[in-house]
Amino acid sequence: MDFRGVFWQSTNDYAGKAEVMMKKPKRTRGHFPPLTVSVPALLESGNDAEFRKLVDDLLLFATQIQDVRKSLSTAMGLTQPQYNILMILAHKAATEEMTVSEMATRMNVSPPFVVVETNKLEAIGLLHKRPSAVDRRRINLHLTNKAISLTTNIGPLQMNVNDRLFGSLSARDFRALGSIVGKLIASYGPALEEARAHSNLTSKRPHDSE
């Protein structure tokens, strides 16, 4: 009998099992705190600490970038939604038409919300609503000359702010970040559906089981 073959086979089997065991989450059902993710790529040695830190950092950065945009909108004398509307219209393709519904989709808000905000912009002379030349039933949003001047004047400040905010990224970092953020945005819908599907479930209060 070739004991060497048996030894190496047993060693390989053990190594394979050890590798599988290392990939398994350390915390199982009943352990506290429970794991908040189970995808192997998001765990380090079965631990979700780095994942939790990433989520916290993303939430922090989301708050920080909103603070920056609030300051920019204030510099223009506008609210953040109004600022967003002007920036979207200013940077869309010259041939691109945009309706209230399309703007709502772009901003991930309801059409009535956009109606209210665009009416305010129209009232202060920053926006025109005109029927489409192709389909008169469509009402498109257009910047006025006053709005064009306003967005042009804020340009240098936006550039300086964004240079400071994102200037530490290399070209490779920038492309990778764009790709990663795109993937996360695409995952938002299914994740929200999963969360909402269980939003009506309530855990038992501590004294209920006593």
Side-chain angles (χ1 to χ4, degrees):
M1 182 176 182
D2 188 353
F3 289 98
R4 290 176 301 175
V6 173
F7 172 78
W8 286 113
Q9 181 64 42
S10 299
T11 302
N12 290 337
D13 289 345
Y14 176 79
K17 291 178 180 178
E19 183 178 359
V20 171
M21 290 175 66
M22 289 180 64
K23 291 181 178 179
K24 290 182 178 179
K26 287 183 176 181
R27 284 175 279 171
T28 57
R29 181 179 294 274
H31 285 68
F32 185 85
L35 284 173
T36 55
V37 68
S38 65
V39 178
L42 306 181
L43 297 169
E44 287 197 3
S45 300
N47 193 296
D48 66 348
E50 285 301 313
F51 171 78
R52 296 302 315 158
K53 182 179 183 303
L54 173 63
V55 172
D56 290 342
D57 287 347
L58 288 173
L59 290 171
L60 174 60
F61 185 67
T63 300
Q64 291 172 334
I65 201 169
Q66 286 297 328
D67 288 341
V68 170
R69 291 175 74 88
K70 182 179 180 180
S71 295
L72 290 172
S73 62
T74 299
M76 297 177 69
L78 302 172
T79 64
Q80 286 190 67
Q82 292 166 359
Y83 170 87
N84 291 344
I85 290 171
L86 290 194
M87 289 303 115
I88 290 171
L89 291 175
H91 292 278
K92 70 178 181 61
T95 57
E96 181 185 0
E97 294 186 338
M98 185 165 290
T99 65
V100 166
S101 295
E102 291 164 344
M103 179 65 73
T105 299
R106 178 74 174 271
M107 296 175 65
N108 194 34
V109 296
S110 68
F113 177 82
V114 175
V115 169
V116 171
E117 295 302 323
T118 53
N119 284 344
K120 293 177 183 177
L121 289 170
E122 189 174 28
I124 59 177
L126 296 177
L127 202 67
H128 285 315
K129 295 182 179 180
R130 298 172 178 165
S132 169
V134 178
D135 185 350
R136 303 293 293 181
R137 294 170 299 179
R138 287 171 54 97
I139 303 298
N140 293 324
L141 306 174
H142 298 274
L143 297 179
T144 63
N145 289 334
K146 180 181 177 181
I148 292 173
S149 176
L150 189 61
T151 54
T152 299
N153 291 338
I154 199 69
L157 177 58
Q158 286 178 312
M159 181 184 294
N160 290 337
V161 169
N162 287 326
D163 285 350
R164 289 177 179 272
L165 190 59
F166 297 102
S168 62
L169 301 179
S170 66
R172 182 176 181 180
D173 291 337
F174 177 67
R175 290 192 296 270
L177 179 62
S179 175
I180 291 170
V181 170
K183 291 178 181 179
L184 293 176
I185 291 174
S187 301
Y188 162 78
L192 182 62
E193 288 181 6
E194 178 71 14
R196 284 179 172 173
H198 298 85
S199 62
N200 61 337
L201 299 180
T202 56
S203 58
K204 296 177 66 176
R205 290 171 294 180
H207 66 267
D208 289 343
S209 58
E210 297 176 356

